Structures are given as structure tokens and as C-alpha cells.
Amino acid sequence: MSKSASKFQERFMSWKFRGKEIFKPLNTGAIDERVKCVREFVANIFFYTAGGKTIMIDAGYNYERLAEKMEWLGIDPSAIEHILITHQDTDHVGAVERDSDGLFRGAALYVGETENRYLTMEVRRKVFGGLYKLPLVIIDNEKVLVHDGEVLHIDGIKIECIEVPGHTWGHMVYLIDDSYLFTGDTIWLGPTGGRSFLDTLAEDNALAVRSLAALEKRLRGRGLSPIVITGHTGWSDDLDFVFAHTDTVCRAMKKQKPHDPAAPYDAYDESDDTWEKAQTERLKKAEPVADNA
């Protein structure tokens, strides 16, 4: 099912969102010496390396060029033993679904216990105000169920699990080594800063907004200022920018204002994602855009 779901998303969402400046994925490359990413259409998956060990964050679409782009980064799929899953949407778990190419068959998946209810089919994932059910996700990998506040130590890497429900009922973000926060579809970084992710794709927008505010309070209350890395709109190390609009949601059907000249017209066009750029360019952080209305 995931291959067809990935193909459908590529066609439908390219048509639906082009020109609206909703998605601004990073190209394949490195944020810094610890974090690398692969671009899959509008989505990014990430690899975190410390002490010679690499863990993967999310598994993207059922994407035909994943092994190729991982090779650009010098990462062998067979070396991936641990994958942190923020949530079970097709563009975040496609590479580990049953009908995928099987690059990560031996990897353990870390999934929030609440989120796992989608995978056991106790609940169905719904979008567009509950009007549309997404395809069922079937995964055969070993799963490790994690909980809010749980701290894992994997190959010497510290991982704190923080539940942020709203986009999905059990969406999880991961704070790694107290310095990098991988947020999946919790935060949308727009031209004037971050806000809750796309309204049309949330299970509960009001809950998502509350979760985002709680996440900010949690980080600031502990004096933490991690690099914040999103699934579709890049990264920032400026918490004021990241949490600029915690009380609002990105309205997905409207063109964004102010206009962001760095946002692609059609984010499903990957023609600017190249091997040459992956070797030579560091991935720039999201920056505020001046009002140009």
C-alpha cells in the first residue's frame, strides 16, 4: 500500500500545494558534523551520528532514490540499527512499510505507545477534518514502544522522548543529547517564524497548538536551546523564531505572507537536489522574511 500511497501523494499534493509556499524541505546534505538529511520530495529524513554510531529519525516516503541519496552522504542502509519514528504518516514511515525495498528490515523502530494504536489498527488516521482516512500502515520491524518523558541511551546517544499530540494522537519529538530536537510535523517554520503544522492534516488543531506551547515551556523551563529540526520546513537554532506563533496554525490552503522567495513553487520538484550540492554546501537555517506585501 505504501508505494501507491507515496505515488498518490506525489501527484495530489504537488497539485494541491504548489504556489502556496507551504513546504520548504532541505536538500540532501549536512546541517553540521552530527546531522545529515535526505530529501524525499517535500519531506526530510535525518541521520544523527556521534561516537561513530548513526541513528535515523523517521523513514520518509516509500522512496525509490533513498539508497542512492544515502550513498551521497556516505551512509550504508545496512548499518542503520535504530530508527526513531515521530509519527506513522506515509511520508514518515514509508521506507519501513511491508512493501518497501526493505533497506531497514533489521532495524528496531521506536514508536510512541499512543501512536502505535494506528499501527495495530485500533484507530484510523484521519485528515481534512476527519473526512478522509489515510491508507493503513503495515510494518514488520521490531518495535520498541516509548512514552512521554522516557530517556533512552542508544549506542552512547541520549534520546529524550516528548509526546506532542495533535497532528496525530501520539506524535513524538526526540531531544537528542540535549542539543538537537527532531520535531517531525509538530512545527511549521514560515516566513515570520514557527507555528503549529498544517491545519488540514491534524487530528486536532486545538490540541496541536496546546502541545506546541507546552513544548516551548518545557524547553525554556529547563534552560535548553537545542537546534530545532522539522520534517518539512528546515531548521533553526533561534527559539524565539521557532516559537514565534505558538497560538496559531498554518493555514494550508492559503498562499503564505509575506512571500518567501526561498520557498519553492512546487516542492515536489527535486531538480535542485544534487550530489554536487550534497558534497559542497552546508544546509542553511530558516530565516525570517521581511514584510514585502
Side-chain angles (χ1 to χ4, degrees):
M1 177 63 76
S2 114
K3 282 187 183 296
S4 61
S6 291
K7 290 293 184 184
F8 173 77
Q9 281 204 17
E10 179 186 357
R11 294 190 302 270
F12 174 78
M13 293 184 71
S14 172
W15 167 77
K16 192 74 173 175
F17 291 111
R18 65 181 57 175
K20 295 186 175 66
E21 302 181 352
I22 292 295
F23 296 108
K24 197 168 79 173
L26 297 167
N27 279 335
T28 301
I31 292 175
D32 60 17
E33 67 281 354
R34 291 201 172 192
V35 180
K36 296 179 179 180
C37 81
V38 163
R39 177 178 176 180
E40 299 183 349
F41 305 125
V42 300
N44 287 124
I45 60 176
F46 297 95
F47 303 89
Y48 179 85
T49 301
K53 299 293 185 178
T54 298
I55 59 175
M56 183 172 169
I57 299 92
D58 280 335
Y61 286 104
N62 196 328
Y63 182 69
E64 296 173 350
R65 298 182 64 194
L66 178 52
E68 172 197 348
K69 290 187 178 182
M70 288 181 68
E71 186 178 7
W72 295 0
L73 301 175
I75 300 173
D76 182 355
S78 66
I80 300 298
E81 299 178 347
H82 307 279
I83 305 177
L84 309 177
I85 301 296
T86 61
H87 64 295
Q88 61 81 63
D89 286 351
T90 298
D91 56 336
H92 291 260
V93 297
V96 292
E97 290 198 53
R98 180 176 289 174
D99 76 336
S100 71
D101 293 335
L103 296 175
F104 311 106
R105 291 280 188 238
L109 306 184
Y110 297 78
V111 182
E113 183 175 36
T114 302
E115 192 71 8
N116 188 56
R117 296 178 65 225
Y118 291 113
L119 302 178
T120 60
M121 304 180 193
E122 296 172 67
V123 295
R124 285 293 301 274
R125 174 75 168 107
K126 298 177 183 179
V127 295
F128 292 99
L131 298 176
Y132 181 73
K133 293 180 180 179
L134 293 185
L136 294 172
V137 172
I138 301 175
I139 294 174
D140 297 319
N141 289 61
E142 173 195 356
K143 289 186 294 182
V144 179
L145 301 187
V146 298
H147 308 85
D148 180 47
E150 184 172 356
V151 177
L152 310 171
H153 293 274
I154 299 175
D155 292 331
I157 297 170
K158 178 186 176 184
I159 302 161
E160 182 176 346
C161 310
I162 303 174
E163 191 172 64
V164 284
H167 180 72
T168 61
W169 296 124
H171 194 296
M172 195 74 69
V173 303
Y174 297 97
L175 178 63
I176 299 186
D177 287 336
D178 291 329
S179 299
Y180 299 84
L181 184 69
F182 294 88
T183 64
D185 288 359
T186 300
I187 300 171
W188 179 84
L189 295 179
T192 61
R195 62 192 70 210
S196 184
F197 198 67
L198 310 189
D199 56 347
T200 56
L201 302 182
E203 295 276 14
D204 186 326
N205 280 298
L207 177 59
V209 166
R210 293 196 300 273
S211 292
L212 185 55
L215 177 62
E216 179 186 16
K217 183 178 180 180
R218 196 165 182 166
L219 294 174
R220 293 190 187 275
R222 292 167 56 186
L224 296 173
S225 186
I227 292 174
V228 177
I229 303 170
T230 75
H232 299 276
T233 55
W235 67 276
S236 177
D237 57 2
D238 180 351
L239 288 195
D240 291 336
F241 176 75
V242 168
F243 294 110
H245 308 288
T246 55
D247 59 341
T248 58
V249 177
C250 175
R251 302 299 176 187
M253 295 298 103
K254 296 182 179 181
K255 184 174 181 178
Q256 303 307 300
K257 294 182 180 180
H259 162 63
D260 185 352
Y265 173 75
D266 182 1
Y268 281 83
D269 176 2
E270 296 183 306
S271 57
D272 63 336
D273 191 31
T274 66
W275 178 88
E276 289 79 11
K277 287 184 177 180
Q279 308 309 305
T280 60
E281 298 181 8
R282 283 288 173 96
L283 300 172
K284 296 179 180 179
K285 70 177 182 179
E287 298 279 8
V289 175
D291 189 355
N292 49 28

